[in-house]
Amino acid sequence: MSEPNAPLQNDLVAAPTEHLRMLPQQVRARQNMQLPSFKSLGISSRLPDALLTPPDESTLIDLRPSLPTSHRSSSFPQGNMPKTPSPDLTEFTSASNNMLSASEASSSTKPAASIAVPVDEEQNNGSDSVDSENEEDDTRPHREEWLTEAVDAVVENMSLDAMGNVVNILCHSQPCPLSREEYVTTAFPGVVTSIQNKIGGSGRYIDVVHAVPIKFNMTQIPSSPATTPSARSSGTIPNDYFSMNVFAKAVVAMDHHDALNTSVPSSPHPVVAPSSIGVSLLERFIPPSSAAEYIDLFSSDAPSVLVDRLFELSSTGGSLIYIYPTASGATTFATKYLGPLLDPLLRTMVGIHGLSADFGAGVGKMAAVDKILPFDGMLRKISVLLRKLNRGSSVGSLHPVSKYKLIQSSTRIVQLDRKVWTEWWTHQEKGRISTVVDRYFQRGYRLPMREGVTAGALVREILDGIKSRDYADYDAPREGVEVGVFVIKRSA
């Protein structure tokens, strides 16, 4: 029986479909060619299709809950995937689950036309990615959030009716302003943006004055934040959707550090017309070059940049935002930001050039750090100064009797970008370092051993080294600088 059946079976495999109809009925009945039904095997009709084509998400949703828990974590080598379902239900279920695990786990092979991911895992992966993005957004530095309270206090106390058609703003960033980039630490953009939102479509202009040092590159003047065009207009403002309402200019301010060595009279030394500024910003984030400059800040009988900016405020509600590092912030800057770069640089220069230890001590000393007061001490000094100005006896008859009031004060932690603070420090300290090096050469004590090394060359080596030298892995600054933020309002 087996010999006659074998050739017949081979003929059936090779024969076309139309020839099957011509076979005798008894032959087809004898072959028992009908497959057992899926229902008799205990499986649904959808599962074989899932094995032949890549399953979609809906298929996986139906399959995964029905799979035994013991098979969820099994893995099946992709090369050993069974091609036909086993008549045994247990083996078939295990094979289908293994196929899902292999498609999920294999990342090195070339993907198929469509790769299905279980919905529960897809949702988890999606939530993880969203959480990571949120965490990244949370850790990303928000450079103007620390100024929110101060700006809100200024905007709430603005009297637009008293300011007229133009809102005058003065920005004095010490030691020098820098062009407005994402990494620049400054309160200027936040102040201007808040005032823009305050005036809205009222048709008012904003006139910004930047106080800059004598030696300054005008390309470094910060650009004003872009305004949102408004179709509304009033008064004489043309109804132009793209019309500008912010205009900027620069004026030269006195360098109070240089004024210490000259016979400059006491303040005020205004850079704009007195009593003309609606909102003023005086900010500094690194310690000054000398201790005397800091001490004179709170004096009404010496050149004081703080008194100069207060004198320029409008007597009808002008406000000043004053930002200055506290004792803690100054120490943090000197020990965490500057010290890890400057100290090894000076040690290297002393060893290479054969200089004395006095050279490094003179260049690396920041005398103002030890004199800067903590926040509470600064608050007391400012309060005393305002009481003197309110009496009108400190700056002579040119200063009309006005009332200065401290309306907000707080401390904030500010992160300093290296590109920013190195620009500030080199601009501020270049003159002092040049003086220290010149005096060292004049004394003639242990001059550089190498020929051709001049005082100017040593100064350039110091300034360039601060900008280019890398932090050690354990020395990179990880904490911000504490600053005091004070809001002072002037009224008649």
Side-chain angles (χ1 to χ4, degrees):
M1 294 293 293
S2 60
E3 293 180 357
N5 291 340
L8 182 59
Q9 185 177 3
N10 294 335
D11 293 341
L12 287 175
V13 175
T17 305
E18 57 267 22
H19 293 171
L20 294 177
R21 301 190 185 97
M22 301 173 60
L23 294 176
Q25 182 68 26
Q26 62 272 17
V27 175
R28 284 186 289 174
R30 185 175 57 184
Q31 294 300 319
N32 191 20
M33 299 176 61
Q34 184 176 2
L35 295 173
S37 64
F38 292 153
K39 184 176 181 180
S40 64
L41 295 176
I43 60 177
S44 63
S45 61
R46 299 178 61 182
L47 285 177
D49 297 335
L51 289 175
L52 298 177
T53 59
D56 56 10
E57 292 183 1
S58 60
T59 303
L60 292 175
I61 295 174
D62 296 334
L63 287 176
R64 291 302 291 267
S66 63
L67 295 179
T69 305
S70 60
H71 295 286
R72 289 279 178 109
S73 60
S74 62
S75 59
F76 199 94
Q78 213 169 11
N80 299 330
M81 185 70 63
K83 297 182 179 179
T84 58
S86 172
D88 191 298
L89 176 60
T90 305
E91 294 179 4
F92 177 79
T93 306
S94 176
S96 63
N97 185 43
N98 290 336
M99 179 199 67
L100 296 175
S101 301
S103 64
E104 295 167 6
S106 63
S107 59
S108 59
T109 58
K110 184 176 181 179
S114 62
I115 300 177
V117 180
V119 172
D120 55 350
E121 292 184 12
E122 183 179 7
Q123 292 175 350
N124 292 337
N125 293 338
S127 62
D128 292 342
S129 62
V130 172
D131 292 340
S132 63
E133 291 177 2
N134 292 337
E135 290 176 0
E136 183 179 356
D137 292 339
D138 293 339
T139 57
R140 190 175 301 154
H142 303 283
R143 301 194 179 276
E144 298 173 8
E145 286 186 355
W146 56 273
L147 197 66
T148 301
E149 294 183 5
V151 173
D152 290 346
V154 170
V155 173
E156 290 174 1
N157 286 274
M158 285 181 61
S159 177
L160 295 180
D161 295 336
M163 293 181 181
N165 196 38
V166 179
V167 178
N168 294 308
I169 302 175
L170 187 141
C171 178
H172 190 177
S173 299
Q174 291 185 305
C176 64
L178 296 177
S179 58
R180 184 175 182 265
E181 303 291 346
E182 292 298 326
Y183 57 82
V184 174
T185 302
T186 177
F188 171 68
V191 172
V192 175
T193 301
S194 299
I195 294 177
Q196 288 175 338
N197 297 334
K198 172 74 172 181
I199 64 177
S202 62
R204 288 180 170 85
Y205 291 110
I206 297 178
D207 187 58
V208 181
V209 179
H210 293 277
V212 300
I214 297 176
K215 297 180 180 180
F216 181 71
N217 185 356
M218 296 299 290
T219 60
Q220 295 294 325
I221 292 180
S223 58
S224 301
T227 59
T228 301
S230 176
R232 297 190 302 168
S233 63
S234 62
T236 60
I237 307 299
N239 189 8
D240 186 358
Y241 186 80
F242 295 101
S243 60
M244 294 177 56
N245 71 333
V246 180
F247 300 89
K249 56 188 176 183
V251 295
V252 176
M254 182 184 67
D255 191 333
H256 289 77
H257 173 69
D258 295 339
L260 298 174
N261 301 323
T262 59
S263 57
V264 176
S266 59
S267 292
H269 300 283
V271 295
V272 295
S275 306
S276 63
I277 298 299
V279 178
S280 184
L281 171 64
L282 176 61
E283 60 181 2
R284 174 183 279 276
F285 297 93
I286 66 173
S289 184
S290 64
E293 181 179 353
Y294 176 77
I295 295 174
D296 289 345
L297 272 175
F298 311 104
S299 174
S300 59
D301 301 322
S304 169
V305 63
L306 179 57
V307 173
D308 294 344
R309 302 293 82 84
L310 291 173
F311 181 65
E312 297 160 348
L313 291 180
S314 172
S315 59
T316 57
S319 299
L320 168 69
I321 300 178
Y322 177 49
I323 304 172
Y324 211 90
T326 62
S328 175
T331 302
T332 299
F333 174 79
T335 58
K336 304 296 184 180
Y337 286 79
L338 179 62
L341 295 177
L342 183 59
D343 293 346
L345 174 63
L346 293 177
R347 288 195 298 266
T348 302
M349 293 179 62
V350 169
I352 292 177
H353 299 297
L355 305 174
S356 67
D358 295 340
F359 176 87
V363 172
K365 184 178 181 180
M366 295 192 69
V369 173
D370 296 334
K371 299 296 182 180
I372 294 181
L373 299 173
F375 174 76
D376 293 339
M378 295 177 63
L379 186 61
R380 288 192 297 268
K381 287 284 188 180
I382 292 176
S383 300
V384 172
L385 176 63
L386 295 183
R387 286 197 296 268
K388 291 182 178 180
L389 297 179
N390 289 339
R391 291 196 297 266
S393 59
S394 57
V395 290
S397 59
L398 294 177
H399 195 298
V401 177
S402 300
K403 182 179 180 181
Y404 292 96
K405 182 180 180 181
L406 184 66
I407 61 176
Q408 200 272 338
S409 62
S410 60
T411 58
R412 290 293 182 265
I413 303 297
V414 181
Q415 296 287 341
L416 300 182
D417 187 272
R418 176 170 178 177
K419 293 181 180 179
V420 177
W421 75 257
T422 52
E423 286 291 337
W424 282 336
W425 188 84
T426 53
H427 176 91
Q428 169 182 286
E429 301 295 325
K430 181 178 180 180
R432 183 188 65 85
I433 294 176
S434 298
T435 302
V436 171
V437 176
D438 288 340
R439 290 176 179 175
Y440 180 85
F441 271 74
Q442 291 173 3
R443 291 197 303 267
Y445 179 70
R446 293 190 64 178
L447 296 178
M449 296 182 298
R450 297 169 54 187
E451 296 183 0
V453 178
T454 62
L458 293 179
V459 172
R460 287 191 299 270
E461 185 175 350
I462 296 171
L463 300 180
D464 294 341
I466 290 297
K467 293 182 179 180
S468 60
R469 190 180 184 91
D470 294 330
Y471 280 109
D473 294 338
Y474 53 85
D475 274 341
R478 295 178 176 84
E479 56 186 292
V481 172
E482 185 187 66
V483 296
V485 182
F486 309 90
V487 180
I488 304 171
K489 180 182 178 181
R490 181 183 180 188
S491 58

